[in-house]
């Protein structure tokens, strides 16, 4: 696994050398803060609603703010991740640096892994920044920390799966735009395919990216969901490797 | 003995056995210490045959000029040698390591400048070289020294802190060469290193390449023919994926000198001139040039200029012009390519 670190370092540097990383971080932060604020406002509204008294048990911080917040975040990620991954490999091809990478004495899998980890670090930074919203909530109330943590784990795994699919899309084209569109298309398909069914009842429910996230939102960490996301990540990276390797043989 | 060894096919791992012992282990028998061996390499892109059964080998210190018209397969061959893409058939050895059996080991001996220098435009020159040194696994304690050395050698010390995207084309090319040199490679593969540069920069880059050869084995593709005579020690011309000429430069220039023709132009013009000239003892052939001049081919190695002047004077034809027609590399190149075409 020699060579992973220099690739990762360069990739991260390149994210932050261009405005891209900052724009993505700011947009994600703004959008998440906005959704958080709307949920919070809805919750405060309920406080003065007389019927709220009857449903006090059900309509707490978790059900009104935390769960919907993480659901929306997962959709926001769906839009943002293709923008993070689009340049990873497409740009190497466009700027002819692929020839440098592929003639260096490092393995193809180290290159892919380095790039993937750099994108993953950006994702983690993004999620950490957005946790400020939750910190504010903690200061003034007591949300269920277990649910928050499992939701973050779910969001991280979901985002990491998106990244793996995104890097695969990026390996297919030398145009960043095409790579982003392909990634977005695949993600949307995998998202919607099981929108109407759950993981148990049908195969579509099982392969859907969204249905596995639901448990995390409820504070349940199940092995099958972990296994699902880890497999998606592995398959994404494996396909990337295959795509790049087979291109050389053509 | 295995007959394939006698063709110069490099080393074999051989298990040495003696009558007295079980064996004393594997040893590498060096039959021929070639630095680069290209053996029967072909590359097909679907129906298109880009490289067709190419073989050549280079010794340590050789500088190979790789010539050919556009689309002849130069870049493809270089990409195969550097391990960027595998050949459809055949194999490549870099200092006896098969590039596709053990790519990591082989690639660490190579420095490669592709046709378009592989530069990250958003990086600072020094940072970029640092990155390349890392992925080429230059040991940390040597890294700074190497970076400093290549920057000095390529004349980019003064732009070390600038963003690559803002550099001029000549400087970008130098950074590209610096990148190829960073791991002190024994084999240097340069794909059109002087293309797109201004005349001054071309001279500088040529000097640089000349200074780099010596210990290194260099493959250099170009379509500027004089460049080859200036830098290279060996020439391979390929056309439509096939080698049409492979010669050391020394022999090539001898060949050229040996068949130096004489151009003759006289005021008087008549059939008998040709007859009289051909009857001179040392003339082997005569043909008509483009505008009423004669191209006279002497017998090998004989200077016939004096005989010719005498003949013209005696007959009073009126000598207007007489000069040797230099057979330059261009002519050899064109001839090599056109004979293949027929």
């Amino acid at each position: 696994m020699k060579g992973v670190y220099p690739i990762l370092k360069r990739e991260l540097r390149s994210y932050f050398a261009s405005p891209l990383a900052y724009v993505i971080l700011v947009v994600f932060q703004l959008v998440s803060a906005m959704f958080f604020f709307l949920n919070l406002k809805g919750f405060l509204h309920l406080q003065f609603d007389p019927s709220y008294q009857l449903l006090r048990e059900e309509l707490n911080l978790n059900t009104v703010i935390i769960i919907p917040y993480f659901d929306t975040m997962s959709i926001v990620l769906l839009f943002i991740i293709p923008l993070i991954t689009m340049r990873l490999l497409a740009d190497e091809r466009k700027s002819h640096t692929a020839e440098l990478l592929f003639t260096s004495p490092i393995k193809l899998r180290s290159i892919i892994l380095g790039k993937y980890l750099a994108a993953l670090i950006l994702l983690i930074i993004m999620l950490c920044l957005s946790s400020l919203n939750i910190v504010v909530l903690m200061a003034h109330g007591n949300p269920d920390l277990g649910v928050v943590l499992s939701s973050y784990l779910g969001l991280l795994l979901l985002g990491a799966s998106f990244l793996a699919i995104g890097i695969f899309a990026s390996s297919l084209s030398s145009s960043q735009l095409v790579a982003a569109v392909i990634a977005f298309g695949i993600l949307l398909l995998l998202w919607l395919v099981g929108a109407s069914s759950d993981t148990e009842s049908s195969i579509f429910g099982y392969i859907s990216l969204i249905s596995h996230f639901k448990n995390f939102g409820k504070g349940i960490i199940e092995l099958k969901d972990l296994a699902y996301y880890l497999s998606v990540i592995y398959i994404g990276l494996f396909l990337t490797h295959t795509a790049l390797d087979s291109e050389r043989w053509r | 003995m295995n007959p394939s060894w006698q063709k110069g096919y490099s080393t074999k791992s051989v298990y040495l056995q003696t009558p007295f012992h079980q064996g004393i282990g594997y040893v590498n028998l060096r039959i021929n210490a070639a630095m680069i061996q290209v053996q029967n390499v072909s590359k097909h892109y679907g129906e298109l045959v880009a490289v067709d059964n190419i073989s050549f080998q280079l010794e340590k210190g050789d500088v190979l000029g790789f010539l050919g018209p556009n689309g002849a397969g130069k870049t493809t061959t270089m990409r195969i040698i550097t391990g960027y893409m595998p050949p459809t058939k055949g194999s490549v050895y870099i200092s006896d390591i098969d590039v596709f059996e053990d790519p990591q080991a082989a690639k660490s001996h190579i420095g490669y400048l592709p046709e378009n220098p592989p530069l990250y435009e958003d990086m600072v020159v020094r940072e970029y070289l640092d990155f390349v040194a890392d992925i080429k696994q230059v040991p940390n304690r040597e890294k700074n020294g190497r970076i400093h050395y290549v920057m000095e050698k390529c004349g980019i010390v003064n732009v070390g802190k600038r963003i690559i995207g803002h550099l001029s084309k000549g400087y970008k090319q130098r950074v590209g060469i610096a990148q190829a040199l960073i791991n002190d490679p024994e084999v240097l593969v340069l794909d059109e290193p002087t293309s797109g540069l201004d005349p001054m920069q071309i001279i500088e880059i040529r000097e640089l390449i000349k200074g780099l050869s010596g210990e290194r084995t260099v493959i250099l593709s170009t379509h500027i023919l004089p460049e080859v005579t200036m830098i290279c020690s060996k020439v391979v011309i390929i056309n439509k994926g096939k080698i049409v000429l492979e010669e050391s430069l020394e022999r090539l220039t001898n060949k050229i000198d040996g068949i130096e023709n004489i151009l003759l132009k006289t005021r008087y013009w008549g059939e008998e001139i040709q007859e009289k000239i051909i009857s001179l003892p040392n003339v082997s052939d005569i043909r008509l040039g483009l505008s009423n001049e004669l191209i006279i081919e002497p017998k090998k190695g004989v200077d016939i200029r004096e005989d010719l002047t005498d003949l013209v004077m005696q007959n009073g034809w009126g000598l207007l012009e007489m000069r040797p027609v230099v057979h330059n590399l261009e002519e050899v190149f064109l001839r090599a390519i056109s004979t293949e075409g027929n």
Side-chain angles (χ1 to χ4, degrees):
Chain A
M1 286 291 102
K2 277 183 289 181
V4 175
Y5 179 64
I7 299 274
L8 186 161
K9 196 171 72 174
R10 198 207 69 77
E11 208 59 53
L12 263 186
R13 214 181 251 180
S14 155
Y15 270 128
F16 288 97
S18 73
L20 185 72
Y22 300 101
V23 170
I24 286 176
L25 288 176
V26 167
V27 168
F28 186 75
Q29 187 66 0
L30 279 179
V31 171
S32 68
M34 193 191 73
F35 279 117
F36 183 76
F37 176 72
L38 288 178
N39 289 346
L40 191 66
K41 206 176 142 207
F43 180 75
L44 293 176
H45 213 74
L46 283 174
Q47 299 280 346
F48 301 103
D49 194 328
S51 57
Y52 170 73
Q53 301 305 323
L54 301 171
L55 291 165
R56 202 177 186 104
E57 287 303 302
E58 271 107 86
L59 296 179
N60 51 26
L61 276 179
N62 288 324
T63 53
V64 179
I65 299 181
I66 305 276
I67 292 174
Y69 171 71
F70 280 106
D71 275 348
T72 358
M73 281 303 91
S74 64
I75 293 172
V76 176
L77 279 186
L78 182 80
F79 285 92
I80 283 187
I81 297 276
L83 301 178
I84 294 181
T85 55
M86 63 181 186
R87 49 175 286 285
L88 284 177
L89 291 160
D91 207 36
E92 298 284 354
R93 226 173 268 169
K94 191 138 219 171
S95 60
H96 308 287
T97 42
E99 275 178 275
L100 169 65
L101 293 185
F102 299 153
T103 57
S104 319
I106 46 174
K107 292 208 165 89
L108 186 54
R109 58 165 181 263
S110 307
I111 298 172
I112 296 171
L113 205 61
K115 285 175 171 288
Y116 178 73
L117 291 177
L120 195 62
I121 289 174
L122 187 62
L123 173 71
I124 292 171
I125 296 174
M126 236 163 77
L127 295 182
C128 287
L129 280 178
S130 76
S131 72
L132 282 175
N133 297 324
I134 307 292
V135 171
V136 169
L137 196 63
M138 305 257 280
H140 299 283
N142 55 341
D144 186 342
L145 200 60
V147 171
V148 170
L149 290 180
S150 85
S151 294
Y152 262 117
L153 177 64
L155 211 52
L156 181 65
L157 284 169
L158 187 75
S161 310
F162 288 178
L163 288 175
I165 292 167
I167 196 172
F168 168 60
S170 184
S171 75
L172 298 177
S173 168
S174 59
S175 152
Q176 295 193 25
L177 192 64
V178 172
V181 172
I182 293 173
F184 186 64
I186 298 174
L187 291 181
L188 210 56
L189 269 178
L190 281 179
W191 183 267
L192 293 175
V193 75
S196 58
S197 44
D198 60 68
T199 49
E200 275 81 29
S201 64
S202 80
I203 176 79
F204 292 118
Y206 190 77
I207 61 169
S208 163
L209 284 161
I210 192 176
S211 51
H212 289 271
F213 182 63
K214 283 178 184 152
N215 276 340
F216 288 101
K218 292 178 205 149
I220 306 164
I221 299 172
E222 267 205 81
L223 193 60
K224 72 172 166 73
D225 298 325
L226 284 176
Y228 170 81
Y229 284 126
L230 294 178
S231 334
V232 171
I233 294 168
Y234 180 79
I235 291 169
L237 296 181
F238 175 76
L239 287 178
T240 312
H241 192 282
T242 312
L244 291 176
D245 210 27
S246 75
E247 183 192 82
R248 296 164 60 232
W249 286 92
R250 241 177 280 141
Chain B
M1 225 192 183
N2 188 331
S4 73
W5 293 5
Q6 288 156 348
K7 289 183 198 158
Y9 281 1
S10 184
T11 66
K12 296 263 172 239
S13 276
V14 175
Y15 196 71
L16 270 196
Q17 282 201 313
T18 61
F20 313 107
H21 302 280
Q22 286 295 331
I24 51 173
Y26 283 96
V27 289
N28 275 335
L29 288 185
R30 263 178 188 267
I31 304 302
N32 186 343
M35 205 58 216
I36 303 176
Q37 281 188 72
V38 176
Q39 287 177 11
N40 308 98
V41 163
S42 297
K43 177 76 188 175
H44 304 236
Y45 294 111
E47 289 286 286
L48 183 82
V49 181
V51 173
D52 192 3
N53 203 15
I54 278 185
S55 303
F56 60 85
Q57 55 175 306
L58 298 175
E59 311 295 322
K60 197 171 184 169
D62 277 349
V63 180
L64 174 73
F66 204 44
L67 296 175
N70 288 333
K74 291 180 301 232
T75 298
T76 305
T77 310
M78 294 182 127
R79 284 180 163 179
I80 290 170
I81 292 171
T82 54
Y84 180 68
M85 49 167 69
T88 313
K89 268 180 253 153
S91 41
V92 176
Y93 296 88
I94 302 291
S95 96
D96 303 325
I97 305 163
D98 189 320
V99 175
F100 297 95
E101 298 279 310
D102 192 355
Q104 264 68 46
K107 284 170 181 174
S108 60
H109 293 280
I110 306 176
Y112 175 38
L113 172 69
E115 207 171 347
N116 302 292
L119 307 173
Y120 292 99
E121 305 249 311
D122 58 352
M123 286 180 107
V124 170
V125 172
R126 205 187 140 120
E127 199 180 277
Y128 168 75
L129 291 175
D130 197 281
F131 166 70
V132 178
D134 279 340
I135 61 169
K136 297 222 170 154
Q137 281 148 25
V138 176
N140 263 331
R141 66 198 135 76
E142 292 170 25
K143 203 165 77 178
N144 277 329
R146 284 302 305 169
I147 292 173
H148 188 76
Y149 171 78
V150 296
M151 283 176 80
E152 197 130 280
K153 193 102 188 167
C154 299
I156 50 172
V157 177
N158 54 335
V159 295
K161 285 179 182 153
R162 288 184 50 191
I163 290 173
I164 294 174
H166 298 170
L167 295 177
S168 70
K169 185 136 205 251
Y171 270 115
K172 282 184 185 168
Q173 197 73 18
R174 285 157 185 247
V175 177
I177 295 175
Q179 162 275 126
L181 287 171
I182 198 104
N183 56 338
D184 197 11
E186 292 161 85
V187 173
L188 200 54
V189 180
L190 308 170
D191 198 350
E192 301 200 354
T194 57
S195 78
L197 302 181
D198 69 40
M200 195 59 210
Q201 292 167 331
I202 289 180
I203 292 168
E204 284 170 8
I205 298 283
R206 269 182 207 153
E207 288 302 315
L208 174 60
I209 295 169
K210 229 190 244 176
L212 293 174
S213 49
E215 277 296 280
R216 291 186 181 84
T217 310
V218 182
I219 300 183
L220 168 108
S221 89
T222 179
H223 51 244
I224 305 170
L225 298 168
E227 203 158 275
V228 175
T229 28
M230 280 177 240
I231 308 175
C232 304
S233 63
K234 199 174 176 186
V235 178
V236 164
I237 300 179
I238 71 169
N239 188 31
K240 292 174 188 156
K242 287 193 177 109
I243 293 186
V244 288
L245 188 128
E246 184 187 355
E247 200 82 78
S248 75
L249 197 75
E250 212 175 316
R251 284 181 54 192
L252 199 64
T253 37
N254 281 342
K255 208 175 180 179
I256 292 165
D257 293 343
I259 50 166
E260 197 170 82
N261 292 354
I262 305 289
L263 179 144
L264 180 74
K265 205 169 180 180
T266 51
R267 187 177 300 118
Y268 174 76
W269 184 248
E271 282 292 309
E272 74 267 28
I273 294 186
Q274 287 195 47
E275 281 162 32
K276 282 197 172 152
I277 290 174
I278 195 90
S279 61
L280 280 175
N282 285 323
V283 172
S284 74
D285 195 19
I286 184 164
R287 61 178 192 272
L288 223 54
L290 292 175
S291 51
N292 276 356
E293 73 260 333
L294 294 165
I295 310 285
I296 299 148
E297 191 179 312
K299 283 191 179 132
K300 215 165 183 161
V302 187
D303 193 345
I304 55 161
R305 281 176 291 185
E306 248 174 283
D307 298 347
L308 271 179
T309 3
D310 288 347
L311 190 69
V312 175
M313 291 304 173
Q314 280 163 22
N315 293 289
W317 292 331
L319 182 62
L320 292 179
E321 190 181 357
M322 181 168 74
R323 61 180 162 89
V325 186
V326 181
H327 277 248
N328 52 16
L329 192 58
E330 226 152 304
E331 213 163 304
V332 175
F333 176 73
L334 290 174
R335 205 181 296 153
I337 288 172
S338 57
T339 47
E340 183 54 30
N342 293 336

